[in-house]
Amino acid sequence: MNVDATGTNPGDRATLFSEVFDPADSCFTFWYHMKGYGSVNLTGSYLQFDPPTEYDSIVMLTIMDGQGDLWQYGQFDITSNTEFQVVLQVTIGEGGNIDVAVDDTALYTTGVCGTPHPLKCDFEDGECDYTNGGVLWRRIQGSTPSLYTGPSFDHTLNSAAGYFMYLEASYGAAGDSATLTSPAVEPGTYCLQFWYHMFGSAMGSLNVHIQPNGTTSRSLAWSQSGNSDDLWHSGTVDLIQLDVFQVYFIPTFYNLSPL
């Protein structure tokens, strides 16, 4: 969703309303892009309905003016004992030549934003307690060193300034192991989402395994093989776990290009 401020007047507004949600302590997340010059505000708020024909607006987040040519992550808490709507609103100041875009919104009703998920990591500030085994994964930024492979930039910032985890096939041979292991996660129902990049002429496989703590038994939950072109792709796995568990990202070496 995009707002073009070109030709607008000070005080003009563009507003996005969500559907009406049931009462909950929630975390609303989204990605935003604000590039150009001029004066605009992007605010995040929620409306509490009590009764449904009336409401109170609670502003939780305000983002000012141009932020550069990159997608950035935003989030705010919602605590409501009545039905509510989420609202994203762009307010024009002096206008100018600036666009404001919003994408990938999500509402998590399992708690507020202050408690990060143990698996959540964009690798911008480190490896988030993920551990290596066998042939080492590396945290790098910019282009991968091998010719005719990728990626040229990370997925989070979509630029050479961003970091990602990478595995170089020339460091290993067929039969070698290479595991990227998550921290331990409490039992529960989860949707695991990740982004992967598999580009090269002789691509192996990437496998996601789940292993309950205290066991040596891993179950295959997801697998992808072959060349997926010079693009980042989304992978998702639904998990229902009764015990503490870890997630293992394990490639199969067959001249595997970087991930």
Side-chain angles (χ1 to χ4, degrees):
M1 301 299 289
N2 184 73
V3 175
D4 183 355
T6 305
T8 56
N9 298 310
D12 285 351
R13 295 179 179 179
T15 309
L16 281 175
F17 294 90
S18 76
E19 62 183 288
V20 177
F21 296 104
D22 291 331
D25 290 339
S26 308
C27 176
F28 179 75
T29 68
F30 62 101
W31 289 85
Y32 65 92
H33 189 286
M34 300 172 68
K35 180 187 178 184
Y37 64 88
S39 176
V40 295
N41 289 344
L42 172 63
T43 59
S45 62
Y46 64 99
L47 305 177
Q48 288 186 299
F49 291 79
D50 188 19
T53 54
E54 300 178 8
Y55 61 82
D56 296 317
S57 177
I58 303 173
V59 177
M60 300 298 297
L61 179 70
T62 301
I63 303 166
M64 305 284 291
D65 301 333
Q67 302 288 316
D69 190 11
L70 72 163
W71 286 95
Q72 301 192 70
Y73 181 75
Q75 67 175 30
F76 55 86
D77 294 329
I78 296 174
T79 301
S80 180
N81 56 10
T82 67
E83 292 182 323
F84 65 92
Q85 277 182 296
V86 180
V87 180
L88 294 174
Q89 184 174 79
V90 175
T91 302
I92 308 300
E94 294 303 319
N97 181 18
I98 187 170
D99 280 13
V100 180
V102 171
D103 202 1
D104 294 329
T105 65
L107 183 72
Y108 298 95
T109 58
T110 54
V112 296
C113 302
T115 304
H117 192 283
L119 294 187
K120 182 175 178 59
C121 186
D122 58 18
F123 301 110
E124 296 305 314
D125 298 316
E127 298 182 10
C128 309
D129 294 324
Y130 280 74
T131 56
N132 264 294
V135 179
L136 293 183
W137 295 74
R138 294 183 294 159
R139 175 177 167 267
I140 68 169
Q141 63 183 155
S143 299
T144 54
S146 300
L147 294 176
Y148 311 116
T149 65
S152 300
F153 44 80
D154 80 321
H155 177 266
T156 305
L157 300 183
N158 197 36
S159 78
Y163 287 86
F164 56 93
M165 296 301 291
Y166 156 82
L167 186 68
E168 175 59 65
S170 61
Y171 297 160
D176 282 349
S177 64
T179 61
L180 183 65
T181 307
S182 79
V185 184
E186 293 298 316
T189 301
Y190 300 95
C191 177
L192 171 67
Q193 182 180 39
F194 54 94
W195 292 88
Y196 66 93
H197 193 288
M198 299 172 67
F199 176 47
S201 59
M203 184 60 58
S205 300
L206 175 65
N207 307 295
V208 177
H209 293 259
I210 308 300
Q211 180 174 321
N213 277 18
T215 74
T216 58
S217 175
R218 296 176 187 167
S219 59
L220 179 64
W222 181 94
S223 183
Q224 177 69 35
S225 300
N227 186 353
S228 297
D229 298 323
D230 191 9
L231 298 168
W232 286 97
H233 299 272
S234 175
T236 58
V237 180
D238 290 325
L239 301 175
I240 301 176
Q241 296 296 312
L242 303 180
D243 301 300
V244 175
F245 67 97
Q246 290 177 285
V247 178
Y248 289 74
F249 294 90
I250 307 175
T252 298
F253 281 98
Y254 175 65
N255 295 328
L256 182 65
S257 294
L259 173 69

